[in-house]
Amino acid sequence: MSVTDQLVKSNRDYATGFADPGMDARPVLGVAVVACMDARLDLHAALGLELGDCHTIRNAGGVVTDDVIRSLAISQRKLGTRSVVLIHHTGCGLEAITEDFRTELEMEVGQRPAWAVESFRDVDQDVRQSMQRVRTNPFLLHTDDVRGFVFDVKTGRLHEVDPPR
């Protein structure tokens, strides 16, 4: 049985006891969380969140890219979020690669990716950059409550990153 087959089987088991929670897509807490896709981050547990509390947007590094801005714009303008929480983490894989990854892909497949890797060396500085991207984006309505954090994968603790000056 493949991993996907196992997931589909688990969904069948889940669906047998599923009851519609009666929610709409608007997050109860009015917050969107942007975080890394790293499998070690259990955001709901780490932040004390329940189903329906927030929008969760995840990608490699938790970097604020054009697609994250797209999701945040929809979250704010159509679904009522007002706060943005950015969460990067210690030991991120983006600290171990460089933009050369795009060249490697180009050499392998014959086409250069249109996207940037967004690798970084200083996780706190990358959080600051992401905060600045959110705060200065013209498509976002609510940019006054944007906070950034680094999650420590060894302790489970967040430390807040000072905003850019």
Side-chain angles (χ1 to χ4, degrees), residues 51-98:
L51 181 68
D53 282 347
C54 72
H55 283 157
T56 306
I57 304 160
R58 295 180 79 156
N59 68 16
V63 177
V64 175
T65 60
D66 286 345
D67 196 55
V68 168
I69 294 295
R70 171 187 160 269
S71 294
L72 287 173
I74 293 167
S75 178
Q76 288 187 355
R77 291 176 175 270
K78 298 298 182 184
L79 297 165
T81 59
R82 299 184 64 84
S83 300
V84 178
V85 173
L86 305 169
I87 300 177
H88 287 32
H89 65 91
T90 58
C92 184
L94 284 186
E95 293 175 288
I97 63 175
T98 67

Side-chain angles (χ1 to χ4, degrees), residues 11 22 27 33 53 57 62 66 80 82 92 108 123 131 134 140 153 156:
N11 174 257
V33 178
D53 282 347
I57 304 160
D66 286 345
R82 299 184 64 84
C92 184
E108 181 180 328
V123 67
M131 282 192 281
V134 171
L140 302 178
V153 297

Side-chain angles (χ1 to χ4, degrees), residues 83-141:
S83 300
V84 178
V85 173
L86 305 169
I87 300 177
H88 287 32
H89 65 91
T90 58
C92 184
L94 284 186
E95 293 175 288
I97 63 175
T98 67
E99 292 296 322
D100 291 339
F101 179 64
R102 294 173 70 219
T103 303
E104 293 168 17
L105 287 173
E106 181 180 20
M107 298 302 288
E108 181 180 328
V109 302
Q111 181 178 338
R112 187 169 187 81
W115 40 263
V117 175
E118 297 275 358
S119 60
F120 54 87
R121 296 286 173 254
D122 180 336
V123 67
D124 284 28
Q125 180 55 34
D126 202 63
V127 171
R128 280 186 204 93
Q129 175 176 282
S130 289
M131 282 192 281
Q132 190 67 13
R133 287 179 178 176
V134 171
R135 287 184 174 156
T136 61
N137 194 282
F139 301 114
L140 302 178
L141 294 172

Side-chain angles (χ1 to χ4, degrees), residues 134-156:
V134 171
R135 287 184 174 156
T136 61
N137 194 282
F139 301 114
L140 302 178
L141 294 172
H142 307 289
T143 58
D144 54 329
D145 188 13
V146 178
R147 294 173 63 187
F149 300 86
V150 175
F151 177 86
D152 187 317
V153 297
K154 300 244 188 271
T155 68

